[in-house]
Amino acid sequence: MSGQVARLIANIVVAGAGVVSKAFVQAYQQAIINAKSGKTVASTASVSLKAKMSKEQALEVLNLKANPSAAEIEKQFERYFKANDTAGGGGSYYLQSKIFRAKEALLKADDPAQPAADGSKADTTKP
């Protein structure tokens, strides 16, 4: 009886290994086709080129009013970034990244040499 059970288990393992290996080969072939056609690059680029944080959202994240100075932005950034430090065990990398991106968006919006957070260029004709 135990010989039959062992044979049955062996057959199941061999059949399962065959199915898994066929699936792996098909997935690998599809990955090669996608890489040659450039589908992987397009999907990766669409993920990494998400819209930048808007000035309004950045102001909300840092809890600032309209047109803050660079010193106010830095002060709020330091305060919130340290409050969400993961070293203490209660912080969040996600929140820290949002806070960092908010600071980045607001400082770029103030700098006329840099493009604004929404992708538009700042008006450099004003004195």
Side-chain angles (χ1 to χ4, degrees):
M1 183 76 172
S2 66
Q4 292 175 345
V5 172
R7 188 178 307 154
L8 179 64
I9 291 174
N11 284 338
I12 292 172
V13 169
V14 169
V19 169
V20 169
S21 64
K22 273 187 178 179
F24 178 77
V25 169
Q26 287 177 342
Y28 183 73
Q29 289 173 341
Q30 188 62 44
I32 291 172
I33 292 168
N34 288 346
K36 286 181 181 177
S37 68
K39 288 183 182 179
T40 57
V41 173
S43 64
T44 306
S46 66
V47 170
S48 64
L49 295 178
K50 290 182 180 178
K52 303 288 184 202
M53 185 179 289
S54 69
K55 184 175 180 179
E56 292 77 23
Q57 184 182 9
L59 289 170
E60 189 175 327
V61 167
L62 291 177
N63 195 25
L64 293 168
K65 304 294 181 207
N67 301 321
S69 68
E72 291 173 323
I73 295 169
E74 286 291 335
K75 180 180 174 185
Q76 285 295 84
F77 167 75
E78 289 295 329
R79 179 178 173 205
Y80 289 141
F81 198 82
K82 285 181 183 176
N84 287 290
D85 190 10
T86 57
S92 165
Y93 286 123
Y94 175 76
L95 292 176
Q96 278 188 322
S97 70
K98 282 290 191 183
I99 293 163
F100 181 81
R101 294 298 171 209
K103 173 190 153 191
E104 183 180 61
L106 290 174
L107 291 179
K108 281 186 179 182
D110 289 342
D111 185 5
Q114 294 286 336
D118 60 0
S120 63
K121 295 209 180 220
D123 185 10
T124 57
T125 59
K126 294 181 184 176

